[in-house]
Each structure stands twice: as structure tokens, then as C-alpha cells.
């Protein structure tokens, strides 16, 4: 494996030794490299014609102590839903998880029918005092297998002429990240949500999206990437399992990225640098030990390498054993990690570990005081 690109050396070759240098120079240049070579440039402005319309609201939905709301988000001529669950036992605004959810349109999930999905145990999450905002990605922009060709969803709403695309135009992961930012715009207007304490979570391609969302929208306080792999948390150079060439069937990345299919080592970035851009915010990386396609070792390596950015802030990055133990939560640093048994999956046990870490970072003293009825 070639030597990892040094997170703490600027493109001009200068060593980065102070938070100011990182925040003003190195971090922005790393983001630009990811825009140019990996995800494409997503629009950052809040669209002028942004609307929020409540389509449905019911208290104590399915005896869950959660208020369920379906909100329609309108971006110019395009609309997509977000499904919100707010815990009723919490007085005042609740911290929240924004869930990037690709499988929703396959009708595996229907919140009008059930709240008990192992992949997304809403009843458990609400029971622990968190709100949930579920964003169905395919409604924001269709995934590659739906042949969207960047002509539908938010692409059409923001950039109607697909012929004007370039080799670094935003691609589908950037479109979903843009959608998540609109969900955050909504959460900021909802008095039941503590919008300064919102995690963004996803599994697999949605985990890649959760990381890029938090890298490009610092309003998200805690990204959680479950089995996110190539273009997510996994260090690409020399990894096992999936490589760029295997992902080239997708349209998740900008055109430039796919040019590196047979020469990954030429890429001017690797994914440890993406994780570093999250600092000093908390972050959670999770793997499944049998998910060799994703490559747990490659994700663990990225998390370790990204720790230098936290250390610059005087914070611990990843604190873990050299070889992480199965099912052991490594929650002491700002980068949390666990590796679960089995293959590609996210389940209720993972969620409880995520919430244990979130309890440390997303629940304010006021939240605990109210829960304990102090003050
Ligand atoms: C494929 C792809 C992965 C991706 C996964 C998913 O396995 O190769 O990169 O993460 O699909 O999103 O389910």
C-alpha cells in the first residue's frame, strides 16, 4: 500500500499545525478535492422556493408515544416527503436522527403500517427520547437502477438542463446530501426539534451519503456511517473487496471519480480525509465482521488516520484496541466505532449503541434536567 496522503500537509506542502490553518485552509481544500474528484459540487444555497407542508399529523401513533407527521418538502417544482416522529414524553425540543433511507420506496417500510423495523426501530428510538426524521432518497432523486440520468427529482428542480453537466457536476450522493440539508432546513423550523443536536445516519450507500452530508453541512452534529465502504468510510488504497471499478455501474459519484477505476492510487484524496473534515464534531463508524466487500479493516484504518484532525483540536479521535473486539462499543473518543457479527446489515442492537453514544453528545444538560424534572 502506498503511503497515506498526509491529512496535515496542505496542497502547497505546508505543515498544518494550528486549528486556524486547518479550518481556513486545509479543510476547505480537502472539501474542494472531494467535490472535484468524488461527489461533484452540490448546490449550497437554500433554494428560494422552499416550502414545508404538513400532510398528516397524529399523536400517540400506534401507541408509541410519538407524534407522527408527514411533511412535504417543496424545492421549486419538485416535492419529496419526510416522515417525522417526535417523542411525546420529552418536554421541550428533542434531539433527532435524520435517517437517509434508500429502501423506503421499495415499500419495505411503511410508517402508516408499522414502527418496528429492525433496520429502523422507531419505537425504541422515540422511547429513548429522540425524534426521527426519515428521508426517502429515491423521492429526492432516483437511485441509479431507476435510470434517473440526473434528469429527475432535485436535479431537474435545481438544474433543469442536464446537457450542461460537467465532469465535476453533482451526482446522486450529492443530490441526497442536498435533500438532507433541506430536511435540516425544516427541522430548524420545528419547535419540537432541537435542531442543534441532530445526527445523520445511513447504511451502505446511505452511509456514504451521511458522511458527505455532514462534511458539507456543519449543522449536522453527528454523522453515523453503517457499513459505508468505498466512497464512504473505507480507506480505498489496498482495501479488500469492493473497488472503484465495482461501483462504476452506479451514478453516485461525479464523472471524474470513475476515471480512476483502474488507477485508484492516482486519486488526490482518500476517505480518511473525508472523515477528518468532520472534526471536531463527534462521528460514528460501524462495520460487520463478515462484510468483506465493505472491508472493516479499511474503515477502521480511516477512522484511525482521521484522528489527527481531532487531536489538533485537543480532542481524542478514535480510542480503540489495535484489533477491535466484536460488539465492543468504542465510545471514549470523538470517533466512535464498533464491529458487529455477521454480514452487511444495520439492526436494533446497532441502534442502541448509536444512541448510547448520542446520549453523550446530543443530549444537552437542559434535556437531562427536564427528564429528571430538575429546575
Ligand atoms: C453495493 C455497492 C456498495 C454499496 C452497497 C449498498 O454493494 O457495491 O458500495 O454500499 O451496494 O448501498 O447497498
Amino acid at each position: 500500500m502506498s503511503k497515506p496522503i498526509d491529512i496535515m500537509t496542505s496542497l502547497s506542502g505546508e505543515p498544518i499545525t494550528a486549528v486556524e490553518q486547518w479550518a481556513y485552509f486545509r479543510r476547505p481544500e480537502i472539501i474542494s478535492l472531494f467535490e472535484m474528484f468524488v461527489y461533484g459540487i452540490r448546490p449550497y444555497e437554500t433554494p428560494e422556493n422552499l416550502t414545508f407542508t404538513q400532510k398528516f399529523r397524529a399523536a400517540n401513533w400506534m401507541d408509541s408515544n410519538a407524534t407522527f407527521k408527514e411533511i412535504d418538502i417543496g424545492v421549486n417544482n419538485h416535492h419529496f416527503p419526510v416522515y417525522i416522529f417526535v417523542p411525546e414524553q420529552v418536554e421541550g425540543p428533542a434531539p433527532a436522527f435524520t435517517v437517509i433511507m434508500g429502501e423506503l420506496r421499495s415499500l419495505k417500510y411503511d410508517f402508516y403500517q408499522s414502527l418496528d423495523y429492525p433496520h429502523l426501530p422507531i419505537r425504541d428510538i422515540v422511547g429513548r427520547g429522540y425524534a426521527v426524521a426519515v428521508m426517502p432518497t429515491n423521492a429526492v432523486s432516483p437511485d441509479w437502477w431507476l435510470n434517473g440520468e440526473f434528469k429527475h427529482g432535485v436535479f431537474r428542480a435545481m438544474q433543469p438542463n442536464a446537457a450542461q453537466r460537467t465532469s465535476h457536476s453533482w451526482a446522486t450522493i450529492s443530490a441526497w446530501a442536498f435533500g438532507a440539508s433541506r430536511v435540516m432546513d425544516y427541522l430548524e423550523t420545528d419547535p419540537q426539534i432541537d435542531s442543534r443536536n441532530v445526527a445523520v445516519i445511513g447504511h451502505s450507500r446511505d452511509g456514504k451519503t451521511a458522511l458527505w452530508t455532514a462534511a458539507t453541512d456543519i449543522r449536522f452534529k453527528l454523522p453515523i456511517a453503517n457499513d459505508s465502504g468505498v466512497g464512504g468510510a473505507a480507506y480505498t488504497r489496498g482495501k479488500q473487496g469492493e473497488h472503484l471499478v465495482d461501483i462504476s455501474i452506479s451514478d453516485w459519484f461525479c464523472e471524474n471519480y470513475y476515471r480512476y477505476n483502474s488507477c485508484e492510487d492516482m486519486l488526490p484524496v482518500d476517505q480518511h480525509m473525508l472523515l477528518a473534515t468532520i472534526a471536531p464534531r463527534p462521528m460514528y463508524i460501524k462495520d460487520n465482521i463478515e462484510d468483506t466487500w465493505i472491508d472493516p479493516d479499511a474503515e477502521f484504518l480511516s477512522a484511525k488516520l482521521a484522528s489527527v484532525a481531532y487531536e489538533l483540536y485537543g480532542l481524542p479521535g478514535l480510542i480503540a484496541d489495535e484489533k477491535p473486539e466484536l460488539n465492543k462499543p468504542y465510545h471514549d473518543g470523538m470517533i466512535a466505532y464498533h464491529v458487529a457479527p455477521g454480514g452487511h446489515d444495520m439492526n436494533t442492537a446497532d441502534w442502541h449503541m448509536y444512541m448510547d453514544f448520542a446520549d453523550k453528545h446530543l443530549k444537552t444538560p437542559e434535556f437531562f434536567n427536564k427528564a429528571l424534572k430538575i429546575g
Side-chain angles (χ1 to χ4, degrees):
M1 187 179 75
S2 50
K3 204 164 162 270
I5 299 168
D6 187 5
I7 293 174
M8 288 302 158
T9 303
S10 74
L11 282 179
S12 58
E14 289 297 312
I16 303 297
T17 53
V19 164
E20 292 73 18
Q21 291 173 316
W22 169 256
Y24 292 122
F25 302 113
R26 182 61 173 151
R27 183 181 184 279
E29 85 185 7
I30 292 175
I31 294 282
S32 307
L33 290 170
F34 277 103
E35 289 178 325
M36 190 55 82
F37 294 100
V38 183
Y39 306 102
I41 304 177
R42 52 163 287 197
Y44 288 105
E45 315 76 41
T46 303
E48 266 176 46
N49 301 317
L50 183 66
T51 56
F52 308 123
T53 314
Q54 187 174 291
K55 293 283 190 189
F56 181 82
R57 181 192 172 104
N60 193 24
W61 185 243
M62 293 185 189
D63 295 323
S64 64
N65 280 330
T67 298
F68 172 37
K69 306 190 263 196
E70 181 179 333
I71 308 292
D72 171 278
I73 299 189
V75 179
N76 299 332
N77 54 7
H78 182 66
H79 293 257
F80 64 90
V82 55
Y83 303 95
I84 312 269
F85 302 86
V86 185
E88 289 164 5
Q89 79 277 20
V90 173
E91 271 181 61
F97 288 90
T98 296
V99 184
I100 313 279
M101 176 61 85
E103 286 161 272
L104 206 65
R105 275 295 168 97
S106 64
L107 295 182
K108 264 167 82 182
Y109 293 84
D110 182 350
F111 306 121
Y112 288 92
Q113 302 293 331
S114 172
L115 296 180
D116 302 293
Y117 298 102
H119 190 97
L120 180 55
I122 291 182
R123 204 180 292 275
D124 288 32
I125 303 169
V126 168
R128 288 187 59 166
Y130 291 96
V132 184
V134 188
M135 183 190 87
T137 54
N138 286 320
V140 174
S141 174
D143 205 345
W144 67 270
W145 49 273
L146 295 164
N147 297 320
E149 297 175 333
F150 312 113
K151 290 181 183 152
H152 301 274
V154 294
F155 287 111
R156 197 176 52 153
M158 297 298 292
Q159 221 170 52
N161 189 349
Q164 287 174 346
R165 291 180 59 80
T166 68
S167 61
H168 53 270
S169 286
W170 56 328
T172 300
I173 286 178
S174 271
W176 294 337
F178 170 83
S181 291
R182 306 298 62 91
V183 173
M184 176 56 95
D185 293 339
Y186 165 75
L187 295 177
E188 288 185 329
T189 68
D190 187 330
Q192 292 182 293
I193 308 280
D194 177 3
S195 61
R196 280 180 303 173
N197 285 294
V198 177
V200 56
I201 176 168
H203 167 59
S204 210
R205 69 200 70 182
D206 304 331
K208 308 180 207 298
T209 308
L211 291 171
W212 184 233
T213 299
T216 50
D217 189 337
I218 58 169
R219 293 175 296 173
F220 289 97
K221 190 162 171 193
L222 162 65
I224 303 173
N226 190 94
D227 294 340
S228 58
V230 169
Y235 188 77
T236 318
R237 289 164 167 79
K239 82 181 279 296
Q240 303 298 307
E242 181 179 39
H243 282 272
L244 257 67
V245 67
D246 302 302
I247 223 166
S248 57
I249 190 169
S250 75
D251 63 6
W252 299 332
F253 303 95
C254 72
E255 201 184 306
N256 278 343
Y257 190 61
Y258 300 110
R259 291 185 182 166
Y260 291 86
N261 270 350
S262 52
C263 54
E264 285 168 1
D265 290 4
M266 291 271 288
L267 262 170
V269 286
D270 207 322
Q271 298 304 116
H272 63 312
M273 298 162 74
L274 178 70
L275 301 192
T277 68
I278 305 298
R281 288 168 288 164
M283 165 165 56
Y284 205 127
I285 306 298
K286 181 252 157 167
D287 285 305
N288 283 92
I289 195 74
E290 287 167 26
D291 195 352
T292 48
W293 186 243
I294 293 300
D295 190 353
D297 291 343
E299 297 210 354
F300 187 70
L301 174 62
S302 280
K304 268 208 292 202
L305 292 171
S307 296
V308 285
Y310 290 82
E311 285 153 15
L312 194 66
Y313 284 88
L315 295 166
L318 175 69
I319 300 180
D321 300 318
E322 205 41 50
K323 187 98 195 115
E325 278 176 40
L326 266 192
N327 266 338
K328 180 168 168 183
Y330 294 100
H331 287 180
D332 291 340
M334 294 300 283
I335 306 179
Y337 183 83
H338 79 265
V339 55
H344 203 55
D345 189 30
M346 175 164 89
N347 62 30
T348 303
D350 297 318
W351 267 100
H352 280 284
M353 295 222 212
Y354 297 149
M355 289 189 279
D356 291 344
F357 187 64
D359 283 352
K360 288 180 158 186
H361 293 282
L362 299 187
K363 287 184 175 169
T364 58
E366 295 78 43
F367 179 97
F368 284 110
N369 288 348
K370 281 185 178 153
L372 297 169
K373 308 244 185 288
I374 301 169

